[in-house]
Amino acid sequence: DLASAFIRFADGSVIVVEVSWAANTKQENIFSFLYGEEAGARLTPLEIYGVKRGGLVDTQVAVKEKKPHVELIRHFLRCVETGEPPINTAQQGLEIQQIIDAVYESARTGRSVDLEPLAI
């Protein structure tokens, strides 16, 4: 049970996604890395990798651990109660769904799929 995608954006940036819900592994491995031209980061635990004064620097950032699903529910309730706009917009949701649909289409056809920006 594995999903994998290589997603290239119009500006040349790339996201590589690999997900497995039933991997044959000793322990659960959840990790996210970001790689940029001038720095990188690991999201859990939060560490920033970069260059400072000509040398490589790894910085660990202390972040209060939160449960993402609980935080999403709290945010939703706060939006309902106060009228605060949600963190994510309907436009973003449509764009993410368009990417997910393209990943499925690519898997079905064995070819890359080009997308046009949504006009909403």
Side-chain angles (χ1 to χ4, degrees):
D1 187 354
L2 171 74
S4 181
F6 182 90
I7 303 165
R8 182 184 316 273
F9 293 90
D11 67 0
S13 60
V14 172
I15 293 177
V16 178
V17 179
E18 294 180 335
V19 179
S20 176
W21 290 269
N24 294 319
T25 183
K26 182 176 181 178
Q27 65 186 26
E28 183 178 72
N29 295 302
I30 299 175
F31 54 88
S32 299
F33 288 95
L34 302 172
Y35 302 106
E37 292 180 13
E38 298 182 27
R42 179 180 177 147
L43 299 184
T44 306
L46 183 55
E47 298 175 320
I48 309 296
Y49 313 117
V51 177
K52 189 172 187 177
R53 297 186 190 119
L56 296 175
V57 178
D58 297 348
T59 305
Q60 292 188 355
V61 181
V63 177
K64 182 180 177 185
E65 192 170 325
K66 296 181 179 182
K67 296 181 179 179
H69 290 101
V70 171
E71 294 303 315
L72 286 172
I73 293 168
R74 284 185 180 146
H75 175 69
F76 173 77
L77 293 174
R78 191 170 55 250
C79 290
V80 170
E81 291 172 355
T82 68
E84 173 185 332
I87 293 170
N88 301 102
T89 65
Q91 171 75 21
Q92 291 168 324
L94 286 171
E95 290 171 355
I96 293 296
Q97 188 60 56
Q98 185 182 34
I99 292 169
I100 292 169
D101 290 345
V103 168
Y104 276 104
E105 179 66 12
S106 176
R108 187 182 71 75
T109 64
R111 299 185 176 276
S112 64
V113 175
D114 292 330
L115 297 177
E116 296 294 325
L118 290 175
I120 294 179

